[in-house]
Amino acid sequence: MTNHSETTGPSDNGDIEGPEHSGRTVPFPDDQPRDEPQVTLRTPAELADALPYLLGYRPEDSIVLVALRDRDGRGRFGGRARLGVPANPDDWAAAAGQLAHGLVTGSERRGVRPEQMVAYLCQEPAPGETGRDVMERLRPLAQQLRVECGVLDVPVVEALCVSAGRFWSYVCDDRACCPAEGTPMGLAGTSVLAAAATYAGIQVRGTLGELRARLLPRESDVALEQEAALDAAAVPLVTRILDDAGRSEVAQETLHLAQRVMRRLAEARPVSGTAAEDLRDDLLLGHDEAATMILGLQDRTTRDRAAEWMEGDEAAPALRLWRALARRCVGSYGEHAAAPLTLAGWVAWSTGDELEAREALAMALGADPDYLFARLLHQACNEGLDPESVRRCLRAERGCRDAPKGEPDGEKQADGAAEREPAEPSPAARASLGRRRRTRSGVSADGVPRRPRAARGREPGAKFVRPRTPASGERPGPARTGRARSRAEEEKGAGRTGACAGGARTGDHGPKGAASDSE
């Protein structure tokens, strides 16, 4: 079953009529005062027109559920959930159940159980197919959605199919309202709802495909040059990252290079259109520079340091840089995209763009399903949590690191401090080194048989231990790394704690003294 990123969205984004389309007047969006312009949604046509404004983009190949709840006798939009339409009809029942259950339980966690649902099926015709053919083909899926929502005691009051510039209702049988040939969609941006949404500052950003295109690896002759640069840099850089002394140096080089490129991006002349912006940024980034940063970010400590550029003047150029680096993870380096995609998702979420945040974090998990930082951020973003708790954590880390030597350790003073994840390179970084040393025969250059993909990562029994904060109060170098210590030494010293007050943290950790393979 295909399942792309969205789960429950934020609740209370507008209002809607009940099943009889009674024409009650309701505000849109819902957080406007009562004297603000109001919009009446009376018909399936107005429901179809509302969908892009509810999601913030125009869905493609999607199943969308929108929850309704009653307030003061009026139906009010609640949470939204989306899944891709499974290619195999055998998966439709599971997809419908997953979507309905996820939306209802997610809304209940926010204290507002849905009372009704509106369902949308959006898919363009295949070659030789018409919009009506799509509607009829997807009719069993619409029925399955109605059944699954009914099992949860949340009836579907309207189900619409949107295809080929037209829409059909699976619920309304009034041919004057919903003819068999479908009803043409209005021109985008010309409805009363579009005007009200524009007045309220609600923007529709195109399609998810256009958004993902900004983060996908480039497929061109340039990609071959970039992969060659990654190949050339992989062995020397990863070898240094795996060395205790070299890791700190690589971290400093990576972060300083990233800052230089961010300044370069910030000073670039503005251009019109996202495609032109991305092309400009790609031209400002050299292959060797991209390779250095992509490989350097596979070290989790370096990645966490880079995550601190999430607000103020640093946020916009940082987001552009992470997008550009994700586009450079070409060929056999696709797994390495998890780090820049996660950073892009984090900065987008921190700056209020939840749509790009969800897409980037979902793509990071697609590149590496076990990348825990992406998984935690994706869950938090989908559950509507406030990113300020993570920002406070990262500000504290930055403040502690920049504090003059000899001052009390700010990390020890943090309430509810949590132990940081082990400062070790990700499995993707280790895979880079192993991959470049393999021969076509499946045997490494030194004669050791190649390990299968599932076994990549730390060798059995290998252990990476965080450096401890010295008793004198002096802190380690800027890269927050140090030599591995033996088990006996580790058990003697007090464990290093992170700076995330209240238990917030940016990475994973296992039992004391153990390193995690999950990211």
Side-chain angles (χ1 to χ4, degrees):
M1 179 180 69
T2 59
N3 177 1
H4 199 74
S5 74
E6 252 109 65
T7 55
T8 307
S11 62
D12 302 335
N13 269 50
D15 298 83
I16 194 170
E17 297 307 325
E20 290 77 29
H21 309 302
S22 58
R24 290 168 289 180
T25 301
V26 291
F28 183 91
D30 66 327
D31 56 356
Q32 297 297 325
R34 293 299 177 185
D35 58 353
E36 290 291 335
Q38 298 181 349
V39 176
T40 301
L41 303 182
R42 297 184 176 92
T43 66
E46 290 168 341
L47 285 178
D49 184 66
L51 180 59
Y53 300 97
L54 292 174
L55 298 179
Y57 61 92
R58 302 187 183 280
E60 302 172 301
D61 196 27
S62 298
I63 313 168
V64 180
L65 279 181
V66 179
L68 305 178
R69 62 186 180 88
D70 183 74
R71 175 185 283 182
D72 302 327
R74 293 176 296 188
R76 197 173 192 83
F77 284 134
R80 282 84 70 198
R82 190 202 72 90
L83 282 176
V85 177
N88 188 345
D90 292 340
D91 294 327
W92 287 357
Q98 177 184 350
L99 198 63
H101 184 268
L103 179 53
V104 171
T105 56
S107 298
E108 288 176 336
R109 281 197 300 269
R110 284 191 285 272
V112 183
R113 177 178 171 82
E115 297 171 358
Q116 297 173 330
M117 292 281 190
V118 176
Y120 297 84
L121 299 177
C122 306
Q123 191 174 73
E124 290 305 300
E129 196 176 33
T130 66
R132 181 177 172 80
D133 293 336
V134 173
M135 182 273 291
E136 293 294 350
R137 177 168 52 80
L138 296 181
R139 186 181 290 276
L141 176 55
Q143 181 60 26
Q144 193 66 49
L145 286 168
R146 299 175 73 181
V147 169
E148 293 294 341
C149 291
V151 169
L152 297 169
D153 198 24
V154 184
V156 174
V157 297
E158 184 59 276
L160 299 175
C161 177
V162 180
S163 180
R166 292 176 173 264
F167 73 88
W168 291 260
S169 172
Y170 293 110
V171 174
C172 178
D173 57 2
D174 183 353
R175 295 311 177 192
C177 169
C178 301
E181 66 274 14
T183 303
M185 298 286 292
L187 292 175
T190 61
S191 66
V192 174
L193 178 57
T198 301
Y199 182 83
I202 299 173
Q203 296 181 349
V204 177
R205 299 179 53 186
T207 67
L208 289 180
E210 293 168 350
L211 181 59
R212 293 185 210 117
R214 307 192 71 182
L215 302 168
L216 288 171
R218 292 292 186 248
E219 296 180 359
S220 62
D221 294 340
V222 176
L224 299 176
E225 299 175 9
Q226 182 61 66
E227 187 169 15
L230 285 162
D231 285 344
V235 171
L237 270 179
V238 176
T239 301
R240 292 173 63 198
I241 291 174
L242 296 176
D243 177 71
D244 291 330
R247 183 182 302 156
S248 176
E249 296 175 358
V250 172
Q252 290 295 332
E253 293 168 3
T254 302
L255 295 169
H256 289 164
L257 175 58
Q259 289 176 318
R260 290 199 301 273
V261 175
M262 284 168 56
R263 286 194 294 270
R264 190 186 307 161
L265 296 176
E267 295 168 358
R269 295 182 59 182
V271 295
S272 177
T274 57
E277 289 175 357
D278 293 342
L279 178 60
R280 173 203 58 197
D281 293 347
D282 288 340
L283 294 174
L284 292 172
L285 180 63
H287 296 311
D288 293 339
E289 292 175 325
T292 298
M293 287 183 281
I294 289 170
L295 294 166
L297 289 172
Q298 303 310 306
D299 178 61
R300 295 169 188 167
T301 301
T302 308
R303 177 208 65 196
D304 287 354
R305 291 274 303 277
E308 295 170 3
W309 304 325
M310 77 291 189
E311 56 189 347
D313 294 338
E314 294 175 326
L319 179 56
R320 290 164 57 188
L321 175 59
W322 307 142
R323 288 189 194 123
L325 292 181
R327 295 192 293 268
R328 299 298 186 97
C329 294
V330 297
S332 58
Y333 291 88
E335 187 177 346
H336 289 66
L341 284 170
T342 301
L343 290 170
W346 159 237
V347 177
W349 184 35
S350 178
T351 54
D353 189 346
E354 293 188 6
L355 175 59
E356 181 167 0
R358 290 193 187 100
E359 287 304 307
L361 293 170
M363 292 174 68
L365 292 173
D368 184 354
D370 295 324
Y371 205 72
L372 188 59
F373 191 22
R375 194 174 345 131
L376 293 173
L377 290 175
H378 191 241
Q379 180 180 355
C381 183
N382 279 334
E383 292 182 354
L385 302 183
D386 188 352
E388 179 59 23
S389 59
V390 185
R391 286 195 293 261
R392 283 196 301 266
C393 170
L394 293 172
R395 290 189 203 109
E397 290 281 352
R398 195 172 195 173
C400 290
R401 187 177 59 255
D402 295 341
K405 292 183 178 180
E407 290 188 359
D409 191 342
E411 293 184 0
K412 294 181 179 180
Q413 297 175 359
D415 295 330
E419 187 176 1
R420 283 185 58 87
E421 64 178 327
E424 62 173 283
S426 69
R430 296 174 166 277
S432 298
L433 185 60
R435 179 169 56 244
R436 298 308 145 201
R437 287 178 172 175
R438 292 172 190 157
T439 64
R440 292 183 182 272
S441 66
V443 178
S444 64
D446 55 2
V448 179
R450 170 169 45 179
R451 286 186 294 147
R453 179 180 179 85
R456 290 188 309 185
R458 189 187 311 104
E459 292 290 334
K463 177 181 172 184
F464 294 84
V465 183
R466 289 178 308 283
R468 305 298 182 189
T469 302
S472 65
E474 294 186 357
R475 301 180 58 77
R480 306 179 70 85
T481 58
R483 296 185 177 86
R485 299 172 58 172
S486 69
R487 169 62 102 181
E489 289 175 305
E490 180 185 3
E491 292 176 350
K492 289 180 182 179
R496 181 184 179 89
T497 58
C500 302
R505 59 180 180 268
T506 60
D508 56 323
H509 66 279
K512 183 176 180 180
S516 171
D517 270 328
S518 62
E519 230 174 319

